[in-house]
Amino acid sequence: MRSQSDVIGLVRLCADGQLCLVLSASQFQHILDDTGQTSKAYAGHAGHELSLLSGKRRGMILNELCKKELARLNPNSKIEEPTPGTCCNGARRSHYHSEYDFTMDGRKVECKSAQMSWDKTNKNWRALFHRIKLPWPGVRDRAPFDDLYLTLFSPDSLHIIRHDVRTGVCSTGKRTGSSGHQIFVRGAAGQECWQIARSQILHKFLTKGHCKLVSYVNLSAVEATSWLKNLMEGMTSCQDEAYHGVPLNDMTPRLRGLRIEEIAFEVDQILHQNSSFSRDCSTVDWIRGGVAVEVKHGQMCFVKVRRCWECVFSNIKCASKHVRDKDLFDELWLAIYSPIAIHFFKHPGGKVRLMAAGLKEQDDGRNIVVRGSKDVLGVREALDNMLTNMEEWGCHHVATVYWDNGQ
């Protein structure tokens, strides 16, 4: 294990012989305190704990709740697990990657969920349902399901809707074939009250469209509270325990990324006090003296199937054959968001550790994955493995911002 510096605000020598700036998170309190309108809306309501989960885990829980509610409303129906089938490469799909979620009386049912969130740019509340595999020329002649149910998650309740496979449906460009369509519905621009915006969203589904409200679930009700508690306890992981109470953990992943970007920007200003900076750019996060800087962050996640912690940096828009001629940035920063600190690294450039992202690469870019040692469950030791790996790849450890509880 590497020792942590007791000196905050100064520099320390890294394993590669270069200097790393060491800072306290309290220096960025003005950024950390801005939790965003979505997080503020959910705080104090029955859906708060559910809102803190990752989108993937929250989706799994909401799909189970949808399934339980449909079973309750249709006690004489026969509900069965899906037949996983195979991927396009012939490999057998896992249960969670089946083309539909379950069958009810022989009909294939797909469940999707979305959390109501505030769109700061357009100043409205929205609901965005992802990865809906509808027919697409040359890829799918028909949807792999018969019935589509949407669960709209708001701070105090769930609304389960049988969708008409038309209202709010939009394509996702070149990604539609591999990633599917989206269903996007939003409240009126300028309407900050989430309760009113929810009514507007439901109106678009149920009145303007031909969808049907199947069930309303009050998350404060005893039965719903019990369901949620049992499902969340059954899916609680060492990752949830490790991040409990850690700054930025109560934000949506998108907002967390923006806050980490803001911290990175201020760190860069500390490191280059004589340089000029601009954030008025669309393709990168900022420009420092003519150098285009892009930041990607990843959260430490424990992957059960690999029995190790890992961190994934996604959507790196680098040069790629038949996709783009050159990198969209001059300098790439990688930020590991851990329960102990945020560690900022500067990528050495070139193709070091860049992984192809399959069919998504054309639009989403490539990925970098760093892992801790297998069967190392402790966060600190796994993080130490990751930091060592990144330095061995040639990444420069630019700075570390420690949480107050991580000293």
Side-chain angles (χ1 to χ4, degrees):
M1 290 282 291
R2 66 179 68 207
S3 60
Q4 293 181 359
S5 173
D6 293 325
V7 182
I8 301 297
L10 298 179
V11 294
R12 70 177 181 193
L13 195 64
C14 295
D16 60 3
Q18 299 191 68
L19 297 177
C20 171
L21 185 64
V22 180
L23 300 166
S24 168
S26 61
Q27 295 179 236
F28 306 97
Q29 203 61 49
H30 57 292
I31 296 174
L32 299 175
D33 287 342
D34 187 0
T35 58
Q37 193 154 338
T38 300
S39 297
K40 290 175 182 176
Y42 282 81
H45 289 280
H48 179 61
E49 289 296 321
L50 188 59
S51 72
L52 300 182
L53 300 180
S54 68
K56 180 180 179 180
R57 294 187 61 247
R58 182 171 56 248
M60 292 168 64
I61 288 173
L62 291 178
N63 283 2
E64 283 297 316
L65 277 171
C66 179
K67 182 178 176 181
K68 284 178 177 290
E69 187 66 2
L70 290 176
R72 184 185 70 81
L73 295 171
N74 302 278
N76 296 322
S77 293
K78 185 178 182 181
I79 295 180
E80 297 179 297
E81 295 300 313
T83 302
T86 56
C87 302
C88 57
N89 62 1
R92 182 177 173 81
R93 294 178 182 270
S94 67
H95 170 74
Y96 290 112
H97 291 90
S98 300
E99 292 187 315
Y100 57 95
D101 291 308
F102 56 89
T103 61
M104 186 163 69
D105 294 332
R107 293 182 64 81
K108 298 176 182 177
V109 176
E110 177 72 353
C111 299
K112 293 292 182 181
S113 62
Q115 176 182 359
M116 272 185 62
S117 61
W118 175 254
D119 185 338
K120 185 177 180 180
T121 301
N122 295 303
K123 300 187 183 305
N124 56 30
W125 286 91
R126 67 178 191 170
L128 181 59
F129 302 84
H130 294 277
R131 297 183 176 278
I132 301 163
K133 301 295 180 67
L134 298 177
W136 189 249
V139 180
R140 287 178 296 275
D141 294 330
R142 62 182 302 276
F145 53 82
D146 300 310
D147 300 308
L148 175 62
Y149 289 88
L150 306 180
T151 300
L152 176 65
F153 168 44
S154 59
D156 63 0
S157 60
L158 305 175
H159 288 80
I160 300 176
I161 299 164
R162 189 170 69 199
H163 195 252
D164 58 8
V165 202
R166 183 169 63 251
T167 303
V169 171
C170 53
S171 65
T172 54
K174 296 177 182 178
R175 292 178 293 176
T176 309
S178 59
S179 300
H181 288 74
Q182 294 178 341
I183 294 176
F184 183 36
V185 179
R186 54 190 172 188
Q191 179 53 258
E192 296 188 12
C193 175
W194 62 265
Q195 292 97 331
I196 295 176
R198 180 179 62 189
S199 297
Q200 293 170 341
I201 290 171
L202 289 171
H203 176 76
K204 289 182 178 180
F205 275 126
L206 306 176
T207 305
K208 290 189 174 182
H210 293 84
C211 307
K212 179 183 177 183
L213 180 63
V214 174
S215 181
Y216 161 77
V217 179
N218 181 349
L219 292 176
S220 298
V222 175
E223 187 175 16
T225 301
S226 177
W227 276 3
L228 268 179
K229 182 180 178 181
N230 291 334
L231 286 170
M232 291 179 70
E233 286 180 351
M235 294 185 182
T236 297
S237 65
C238 55
Q239 178 181 331
D240 297 311
E241 295 173 358
Y243 278 94
H244 181 72
V246 174
L248 303 180
N249 190 47
D250 58 349
M251 298 181 183
T252 62
R254 181 175 180 274
L255 182 61
R256 182 187 305 128
L258 292 174
R259 296 294 177 262
I260 290 175
E261 177 191 317
E262 291 171 8
I263 293 172
F265 179 65
E266 294 197 5
V267 167
D268 201 20
Q269 289 179 307
I270 294 172
L271 292 169
H272 301 89
Q273 297 183 21
N274 296 323
S275 297
S276 61
F277 287 82
S278 171
R279 300 195 73 180
D280 186 20
C281 42
S282 59
T283 57
V284 293
D285 293 319
W286 68 83
I287 296 176
R288 180 212 321 122
V291 177
V293 182
E294 178 72 6
V295 178
K296 295 297 182 183
H297 88 284
Q299 179 175 1
M300 285 183 65
C301 301
F302 188 77
V303 183
K304 288 184 178 180
V305 66
R306 294 183 182 275
R307 303 206 308 274
C308 71
W309 289 86
E310 74 174 24
C311 187
V312 181
F313 308 97
S314 305
N315 305 334
I316 300 171
K317 303 295 180 63
C318 59
S320 182
K321 189 176 181 180
H322 305 309
V323 179
R324 60 187 67 84
D325 295 332
K326 63 178 183 178
D327 300 341
L328 296 187
F329 49 81
D330 301 316
E331 193 171 290
L332 175 64
W333 283 32
L334 305 174
I336 297 180
Y337 168 57
S338 81
I340 298 165
I342 305 177
H343 293 271
F344 294 101
F345 285 85
K346 184 167 69 175
H347 189 264
K351 302 297 183 183
V352 177
R353 308 304 296 189
L354 286 165
M355 302 170 58
L359 294 173
K360 298 194 300 177
E361 184 176 337
Q362 186 164 353
D363 289 286
D364 294 346
R366 295 196 170 196
N367 300 333
I368 292 176
V369 181
V370 58
R371 297 188 176 97
S373 299
K374 192 173 182 179
D375 293 324
V376 172
L377 303 183
V379 172
R380 288 180 181 271
E381 188 175 355
L383 175 61
D384 192 64
N385 296 154
M386 292 181 181
L387 302 182
T388 299
N389 287 339
M390 293 191 71
E391 289 180 359
E392 289 179 349
W393 297 346
C395 298
H396 170 40
H397 198 162
V398 175
T400 297
V401 176
Y402 284 111
W403 310 128
D404 290 339
N405 62 355
Q407 304 303 316

